[in-house]
Amino acid sequence: MNILEEIKDAACVGITGHVRPDGDCLGSTLGLYNYLKVNRPDLSVDLYLEQPGAEFSYLTGIDEILHTPKNVAYDVFIVLDCGSIDRIEPFTQCFEQAKKTICIDHHISSQNNDFADINLVKPEASSASEVLYTTFDEDKVNKAVAECIYTGIIHDTGVFKYSCTSAKTMEIAGKMMEKGIAYSDIIDNSFYKKTYVQNQILGRALLESVLFYDGKCIFSNVTRDEMAFYGVTGKELGGIIEQLRLTDGVEVAIFLYETGDHEHKVSMRSKKQIDVAKIAAEFGGGGHVRAAGFTGKGTVYSIVNKIGEMIERQYVDMSQ
Ligand code: 5GP
Ligand code: MN
């Protein structure tokens, strides 16, 4: 697909990504937004997302993101980094009213049900940003676009170390570096940097983490009261699951934060064996084999117990 070809007859285009936008969601949507702004100056482009985290403030165009849907029938509406239409709330109406819809994504086919008119879905790609880049003309990518693509790639690969990282991923990242981006700053500031309170709540979550299943699994949780005490929101708890995952001997890490009465946002990561996307799907969520999530009803213990049973079932199936 060549994205400029796909939209050549359009006068107005809308773009969105998934709820609670992460680095890849922001990198891909802003990457496309900036690419279209530069290469189709005549085009009217709107980007819709929830409010992004402050660590992404260096991305060009971030202040132009809209948070409420306009009542516009877009010529083309493009959804990135999102496998199902229910994850673009509250912007579904823009999608439904559009004359043509495109989805550019990297979620596996059991989750990406080809909901758009045109679907470019590459489950083997590290990130939606990587898939998006293949739709660009290389010489039309400027530094601002390169910063977005690079950001998306480093976030969905955990800075080039998850198994979704390929030689192609590295090649694209290398090309982005050649555009003159400040890659060390991008990695430090958007991926690793923690505020003082983020470090405090990370420390607390690690201190209270619990190993189970012979040390193969670990979980920790943060309550609404704790979040209020430290003055943080769910957006600022991103690095905790990553640190839990690194625990020696652990195959599956689970992190939960309370979002309502008996309701939790759950993140899961696995190292080599357990398919956490399958587990998330059973709770109505989704993601990738090694990184998935869902929002679940129940207490921390009831959710963790259920996940534990599903992990056990996968181990039993593997041994047969
Ligand atoms: P995280 O744990 O960082 O929130 O998400 C890890 C992966 O799982 C991401 O690819 C994200 O899109 C996916 N994911 C997280 N929560 C949900 C959810 O509630 N529904 C679906 N379908 N995917 C999710
Ligand atoms: Mn992604």
Side-chain angles (χ1 to χ4, degrees), residues 18 22-25 28 80-82 105-107 125-129 152 155-156 288:
H18 62 73
D22 58 9
D24 183 34
C25 180
S28 57
L80 292 118
D81 197 27
C82 183
D105 185 33
H106 69 128
H107 287 85
S126 67
S127 51
S129 301
H155 278 262
D156 263 22
H288 310 278

mmCIF file of all heavy atoms in Angstrom, residues 18 22-25 28 80-82 105-107 125-129 152 155-156 288, ligand 2:
data_model
loop_
_atom_site.group_PDB
_atom_site.id
_atom_site.type_symbol
_atom_site.label_atom_id
_atom_site.label_comp_id
_atom_site.label_asym_id
_atom_site.label_seq_id
_atom_site.Cartn_x
_atom_site.Cartn_y
_atom_site.Cartn_z
ATOM 1 N N HIS A 18 -5.912 3.472 19.244
ATOM 2 C CA HIS A 18 -6.691 2.847 20.320
ATOM 3 C C HIS A 18 -6.790 3.698 21.589
ATOM 4 O O HIS A 18 -6.035 4.642 21.772
ATOM 5 C CB HIS A 18 -6.153 1.445 20.634
ATOM 6 C CG HIS A 18 -4.736 1.399 21.140
ATOM 7 N ND1 HIS A 18 -4.382 1.796 22.409
ATOM 8 C CD2 HIS A 18 -3.586 0.997 20.546
ATOM 9 C CE1 HIS A 18 -3.082 1.619 22.582
ATOM 10 N NE2 HIS A 18 -2.578 1.148 21.455
ATOM 11 N N ASP A 22 -0.603 4.404 23.635
ATOM 12 C CA ASP A 22 0.765 4.126 24.083
ATOM 13 C C ASP A 22 1.747 4.679 23.039
ATOM 14 O O ASP A 22 1.345 5.365 22.089
ATOM 15 C CB ASP A 22 0.959 2.621 24.313
ATOM 16 C CG ASP A 22 0.667 1.793 23.064
ATOM 17 O OD1 ASP A 22 0.478 2.387 21.973
ATOM 18 O OD2 ASP A 22 0.637 0.555 23.158
ATOM 19 N N GLY A 23 3.021 4.364 23.187
ATOM 20 C CA GLY A 23 4.039 4.929 22.305
ATOM 21 C C GLY A 23 3.828 4.586 20.841
ATOM 22 O O GLY A 23 4.021 5.418 19.958
ATOM 23 N N ASP A 24 3.416 3.341 20.576
ATOM 24 C CA ASP A 24 3.218 2.940 19.184
ATOM 25 C C ASP A 24 1.959 3.587 18.613
ATOM 26 O O ASP A 24 1.932 3.992 17.443
ATOM 27 C CB ASP A 24 3.132 1.410 19.088
ATOM 28 C CG ASP A 24 3.002 0.923 17.653
ATOM 29 O OD1 ASP A 24 3.582 1.565 16.755
ATOM 30 O OD2 ASP A 24 2.330 -0.098 17.436
ATOM 31 N N CYS A 25 0.943 3.681 19.436
ATOM 32 C CA CYS A 25 -0.299 4.315 18.974
ATOM 33 C C CYS A 25 -0.033 5.787 18.624
ATOM 34 O O CYS A 25 -0.433 6.275 17.558
ATOM 35 C CB CYS A 25 -1.344 4.189 20.081
ATOM 36 S SG CYS A 25 -2.909 4.910 19.642
ATOM 37 N N SER A 28 2.510 6.013 15.533
ATOM 38 C CA SER A 28 1.936 5.719 14.220
ATOM 39 C C SER A 28 0.921 6.789 13.803
ATOM 40 O O SER A 28 0.951 7.255 12.657
ATOM 41 C CB SER A 28 1.323 4.313 14.197
ATOM 42 O OG SER A 28 0.350 4.165 15.196
ATOM 43 N N LEU A 80 -5.171 3.289 13.281
ATOM 44 C CA LEU A 80 -3.848 2.657 13.417
ATOM 45 C C LEU A 80 -3.700 1.963 14.772
ATOM 46 O O LEU A 80 -4.261 2.411 15.779
ATOM 47 C CB LEU A 80 -2.751 3.708 13.276
ATOM 48 C CG LEU A 80 -2.638 4.303 11.865
ATOM 49 C CD1 LEU A 80 -2.902 5.778 11.883
ATOM 50 C CD2 LEU A 80 -1.295 3.994 11.249
ATOM 51 N N ASP A 81 -2.901 0.886 14.783
ATOM 52 C CA ASP A 81 -2.551 0.168 16.019
ATOM 53 C C ASP A 81 -3.779 -0.311 16.783
ATOM 54 O O ASP A 81 -3.772 -0.332 18.014
ATOM 55 C CB ASP A 81 -1.674 1.073 16.911
ATOM 56 C CG ASP A 81 -0.945 0.265 17.977
ATOM 57 O OD1 ASP A 81 -0.684 -0.926 17.753
ATOM 58 O OD2 ASP A 81 -0.642 0.832 19.043
ATOM 59 N N CYS A 82 -4.806 -0.698 16.076
ATOM 60 C CA CYS A 82 -6.047 -1.077 16.743
ATOM 61 C C CYS A 82 -6.692 -2.238 15.982
ATOM 62 O O CYS A 82 -6.924 -2.135 14.786
ATOM 63 C CB CYS A 82 -6.980 0.123 16.779
ATOM 64 S SG CYS A 82 -8.487 -0.216 17.660
ATOM 65 N N ASP A 105 -2.306 -1.976 10.958
ATOM 66 C CA ASP A 105 -2.187 -2.572 12.290
ATOM 67 C C ASP A 105 -1.217 -3.742 12.305
ATOM 68 O O ASP A 105 -0.763 -4.214 11.253
ATOM 69 C CB ASP A 105 -3.588 -3.027 12.739
ATOM 70 C CG ASP A 105 -3.603 -3.562 14.152
ATOM 71 O OD1 ASP A 105 -2.815 -3.070 14.985
ATOM 72 O OD2 ASP A 105 -4.385 -4.493 14.430
ATOM 73 N N HIS A 106 -0.941 -4.232 13.514
ATOM 74 C CA HIS A 106 -0.068 -5.412 13.650
ATOM 75 C C HIS A 106 -0.616 -6.387 14.695
ATOM 76 O O HIS A 106 0.160 -7.158 15.279
ATOM 77 C CB HIS A 106 1.366 -4.975 14.011
ATOM 78 C CG HIS A 106 1.488 -4.411 15.401
ATOM 79 N ND1 HIS A 106 2.421 -4.859 16.314
ATOM 80 C CD2 HIS A 106 0.796 -3.444 16.039
ATOM 81 C CE1 HIS A 106 2.291 -4.176 17.438
ATOM 82 N NE2 HIS A 106 1.326 -3.314 17.304
ATOM 83 N N HIS A 107 -1.925 -6.359 14.947
ATOM 84 C CA HIS A 107 -2.498 -7.346 15.872
ATOM 85 C C HIS A 107 -2.827 -8.638 15.117
ATOM 86 O O HIS A 107 -3.138 -8.597 13.926
ATOM 87 C CB HIS A 107 -3.745 -6.773 16.559
ATOM 88 C CG HIS A 107 -3.404 -5.742 17.597
ATOM 89 N ND1 HIS A 107 -3.195 -4.428 17.278
ATOM 90 C CD2 HIS A 107 -3.185 -5.862 18.926
ATOM 91 C CE1 HIS A 107 -2.873 -3.766 18.387
ATOM 92 N NE2 HIS A 107 -2.861 -4.611 19.394
ATOM 93 N N ALA A 125 4.885 -7.841 12.198
ATOM 94 C CA ALA A 125 5.599 -6.564 12.359
ATOM 95 C C ALA A 125 5.696 -6.190 13.836
ATOM 96 O O ALA A 125 4.808 -6.493 14.626
ATOM 97 C CB ALA A 125 4.886 -5.465 11.588
ATOM 98 N N SER A 126 6.780 -5.504 14.183
ATOM 99 C CA SER A 126 7.012 -5.131 15.583
ATOM 100 C C SER A 126 5.949 -4.182 16.102
ATOM 101 O O SER A 126 5.617 -4.179 17.279
ATOM 102 C CB SER A 126 8.368 -4.427 15.699
ATOM 103 O OG SER A 126 8.328 -3.165 15.025
ATOM 104 N N SER A 127 5.430 -3.347 15.205
ATOM 105 C CA SER A 127 4.626 -2.218 15.654
ATOM 106 C C SER A 127 3.778 -1.721 14.486
ATOM 107 O O SER A 127 4.097 -1.978 13.320
ATOM 108 C CB SER A 127 5.557 -1.086 16.100
ATOM 109 O OG SER A 127 6.519 -0.830 15.079
ATOM 110 N N ALA A 128 2.736 -0.984 14.820
ATOM 111 C CA ALA A 128 1.940 -0.349 13.768
ATOM 112 C C ALA A 128 2.796 0.690 13.043
ATOM 113 O O ALA A 128 2.630 0.924 11.844
ATOM 114 C CB ALA A 128 0.697 0.302 14.369
ATOM 115 N N SER A 129 3.735 1.296 13.782
ATOM 116 C CA SER A 129 4.611 2.303 13.180
ATOM 117 C C SER A 129 5.457 1.685 12.074
ATOM 118 O O SER A 129 5.700 2.305 11.035
ATOM 119 C CB SER A 129 5.506 2.935 14.248
ATOM 120 O OG SER A 129 4.710 3.535 15.241
ATOM 121 N N GLY A 152 7.437 4.886 18.039
ATOM 122 C CA GLY A 152 6.520 3.746 18.001
ATOM 123 C C GLY A 152 7.275 2.430 18.073
ATOM 124 O O GLY A 152 6.906 1.516 18.811
ATOM 125 N N HIS A 155 8.898 1.697 21.575
ATOM 126 C CA HIS A 155 7.933 1.361 22.631
ATOM 127 C C HIS A 155 7.368 -0.039 22.472
ATOM 128 O O HIS A 155 7.210 -0.755 23.457
ATOM 129 C CB HIS A 155 6.828 2.418 22.712
ATOM 130 C CG HIS A 155 7.278 3.592 23.511
ATOM 131 N ND1 HIS A 155 6.949 3.751 24.832
ATOM 132 C CD2 HIS A 155 8.093 4.620 23.189
ATOM 133 C CE1 HIS A 155 7.539 4.843 25.298
ATOM 134 N NE2 HIS A 155 8.236 5.396 24.312
ATOM 135 N N ASP A 156 7.060 -0.456 21.251
ATOM 136 C CA ASP A 156 6.468 -1.794 21.098
ATOM 137 C C ASP A 156 7.512 -2.910 21.066
ATOM 138 O O ASP A 156 7.164 -4.080 21.138
ATOM 139 C CB ASP A 156 5.581 -1.857 19.840
ATOM 140 C CG ASP A 156 4.111 -1.629 20.202
ATOM 141 O OD1 ASP A 156 3.852 -1.042 21.275
ATOM 142 O OD2 ASP A 156 3.226 -2.037 19.431
ATOM 143 N N HIS A 288 -0.870 -8.982 22.180
ATOM 144 C CA HIS A 288 0.073 -9.834 21.453
ATOM 145 C C HIS A 288 0.465 -11.022 22.326
ATOM 146 O O HIS A 288 0.210 -11.010 23.520
ATOM 147 C CB HIS A 288 1.300 -9.014 21.056
ATOM 148 C CG HIS A 288 0.930 -7.729 20.386
ATOM 149 N ND1 HIS A 288 0.617 -7.659 19.050
ATOM 150 C CD2 HIS A 288 0.748 -6.484 20.873
ATOM 151 C CE1 HIS A 288 0.285 -6.426 18.744
ATOM 152 N NE2 HIS A 288 0.362 -5.684 19.834
HETATM 153 MN MN MN B 2 1.243 -1.436 18.759
#
